[in-house]
Amino acid sequence: MINKLYFHHVSFMFFRIFFFNMTGSLKENRRLIIEDISNGLEKFPISLIYDDIKEFEELQNIFHKYVVNCVTVPGADSSSYYDGCDCKDDCKSEDCGCKSIHGFFYISRGLNPIFLQSNSIASNISIYECNSNCSCSPDKCPNRLVQHGVSLPLQIFKSDSGCGWGVRSHTRRIRKGEFVCEYAGEIIKTDEAKHRWIMAKEINEDNYILCLREHVKDRVLRTNIDPIHIGNIGRFINHSCDPNLQIFLTRINSLIPTAALFAKKDIGVNEELSFDYAGGVNDNSDIQEININVERKKCLCGSQYCKGFLPFDLSL
């Protein structure tokens, strides 16, 4: 089970941009647009739209590497997930080994809406997709979804909420249950996460470490994802106390989970995407336990359910 999900000590005013080939498509038509900051790494383009060339020049000076999936750093456990099914019908039958052991969560190439009823992160769900050891077709198997990456054209833009950069679908609506993207970055150990948090605080720099906790019997499994140096489109998605996306932990070829973001509801064209950095857990009960020297960041989501402050991981 997952206990809590924290996205700690965030400031939205950090210049959140990835380094990309500056000779790529850049055009001006009232607003300035970079057509694909992933440089073709994603199946669908990730565009960036902005107004001020000076703002763009500032972003140029920050180097970040775009990756499609999480990467592990030295010292992090990258144990492979080895079992797989031997289906010859692309896992259409109910006796698929992966389905019978782990369950089946997808319908019509999206998440079954029954799993989207909870307001919090699905604490008792871990999705296991068919993997490289399965005999089913990577393209036709219905139990392969997150591993195919971003599922629609997305755009980075300056949010009107005052939260800096945000993400939206600018060409079509997103249907409930549809996979949007994962939250990709470096997988780091907890000691390294603490070290990076301290270093960022000392130089007044923001960090974006996502801490996932799973309770398995008497053990707590923790996964730390840091996209500050290496990351994907997921790191641009802002927090909301009433989000339209929800995280599900998904395992594909590794015991390390992927933080997969699915649509909690139908999302309109140009509606800003968001997820709850606390996974739906009301962490305001922890405010009194936080050392007074720890500065809480004000939440700007504007929701009627706003908790006032951004979630904060007390263990860092």
Side-chain angles (χ1 to χ4, degrees), residues 4-51:
K4 289 185 178 180
L5 165 69
Y6 288 109
F7 189 100
H8 76 79
H9 207 66
V10 181
S11 169
F12 292 120
M13 295 312 294
F14 175 74
F15 296 120
R16 298 183 291 173
I17 184 65
F18 298 100
F19 177 82
F20 52 90
N21 184 0
M22 296 306 298
T23 61
S25 297
L26 173 62
K27 58 186 178 181
E28 182 172 2
N29 182 13
R30 292 195 305 167
R31 302 189 74 181
L32 300 166
I33 299 176
I34 304 300
E35 292 186 344
D36 185 12
I37 68 166
S38 79
N39 281 329
L41 291 177
E42 300 285 9
K43 183 166 56 175
F44 293 92
I46 306 295
S47 62
L48 181 146
I49 186 167
Y50 61 100
D51 295 301

Side-chain angles (χ1 to χ4, degrees), residues 216-231:
V216 181
K217 295 182 179 180
D218 58 344
R219 298 178 59 199
V220 177
L221 304 180
R222 175 167 173 158
T223 303
N224 305 296
I225 304 173
D226 184 5
I228 192 66
H229 302 297
I230 300 173

Side-chain angles (χ1 to χ4, degrees), residues 3 20 30 70 79 84 93 97 99-100 153 167 174 180 184 263 293 306 308:
N3 183 24
F20 52 90
R30 292 195 305 167
C70 283
S79 302
S93 62
K99 286 184 182 180
S100 60
V167 178
I174 303 173
V180 176
N293 293 322
C306 183

Side-chain angles (χ1 to χ4, degrees), residues 20 24 40 43 47 90 92 100-102 107 116-117 130 140 149 151 158 183 185 187 228 248 251 265 267 269 273:
F20 52 90
K43 183 166 56 175
S47 62
D90 293 326
K92 295 177 182 178
S100 60
I101 295 174
H102 304 297
I107 58 172
L116 292 164
Q117 302 304 313
C130 288
K140 297 179 181 179
S151 63
K158 263 303 180 67
Y183 190 89
I187 302 294
I228 192 66
F248 285 80
R251 288 179 167 86
K265 60 187 79 172
I267 303 172
V269 177
L273 304 180

Side-chain angles (χ1 to χ4, degrees), residues 106-121:
Y106 302 141
I107 58 172
S108 303
R109 306 303 297 173
L111 191 70
N112 190 327
I114 193 173
F115 300 113
L116 292 164
Q117 302 304 313
S118 173
N119 290 324
S120 64
I121 186 170

Side-chain angles (χ1 to χ4, degrees), residues 267-303:
I267 303 172
V269 177
N270 289 329
E271 180 180 346
E272 182 172 355
L273 304 180
S274 62
F275 70 97
D276 188 344
Y277 292 173
V281 178
N282 188 344
D283 82 324
N284 282 354
S285 60
D286 294 332
I287 290 178
Q288 299 302 321
E289 301 176 23
I290 299 177
N291 187 294
I292 59 174
N293 293 322
V294 176
E295 180 184 356
R296 294 278 289 185
K297 297 294 183 179
K298 185 178 179 181
C299 179
L300 301 175
C301 75
S303 163

